[in-house]
Amino acid sequence: MAFDLTGMMGKVKELQDKMQQAQQEIQHITATGEAGGGLVRATANGHRKILKLEIDETLLTPQDRDMLADLVVAAVNKALDEAAEQARQELQRKTSGLMPNVPGLDLSGFGV
């Protein structure tokens, strides 16, 4: 069986196009993480950037400062984890069938 370089290059170009399209769509993904029973909410996008932080007014007292910091960290981490997972799924959907299933293949360089 002969090696089809032209066909392979076509697949690479198609994969590049799909990856670029997925990267553009990932920016529209949003995920919200909550902590403290919803007292702190953080919203992130698919590029792992925090878009919004909401803090319930009841936490804005001096004695709650340490707890507030802990809740913000927890909410932000949950939002970032969820946004990363949604971005990974979107990238997987866009490239389905174009990439070989290679165990250990790291796609983190593509934003996921």
Side-chain angles (χ1 to χ4, degrees):
M1 181 173 182
F3 181 72
D4 181 9
L5 182 60
T6 304
M8 183 178 152
M9 294 306 288
K11 283 286 189 188
V12 168
K13 174 68 174 134
E14 184 179 355
L15 176 61
Q16 287 174 328
D17 291 344
K18 293 282 188 177
M19 292 293 284
Q20 185 175 25
Q21 182 182 5
Q23 284 294 320
Q24 290 172 352
E25 291 180 16
I26 284 172
Q27 72 184 349
H28 300 293
I29 289 172
T30 60
T32 299
E34 295 184 357
L39 293 174
V40 176
R41 295 169 48 99
T43 302
N45 69 13
H47 289 294
R48 301 181 195 130
K49 302 292 182 204
I50 296 299
L51 303 174
K52 185 177 184 181
L53 181 63
E54 300 170 78
I55 301 171
D56 190 280
E57 290 180 17
T58 61
L59 293 175
L60 301 178
T61 62
Q63 63 269 24
D64 290 330
R65 175 173 264 143
D66 290 338
M67 181 179 63
L68 176 58
D70 291 342
L71 292 175
V72 168
V73 168
V76 166
N77 285 333
K78 286 179 183 180
L80 292 175
D81 289 346
E82 178 60 25
E85 176 59 22
Q86 288 183 30
R88 184 194 65 75
Q89 290 174 5
E90 179 66 20
L91 185 60
Q92 188 175 23
R93 257 192 311 279
K94 290 292 181 194
T95 61
S96 178
L98 294 176
M99 294 181 59
N101 185 12
V102 178
L105 181 62
D106 182 13
L107 297 176
S108 62
F110 295 105
V112 290

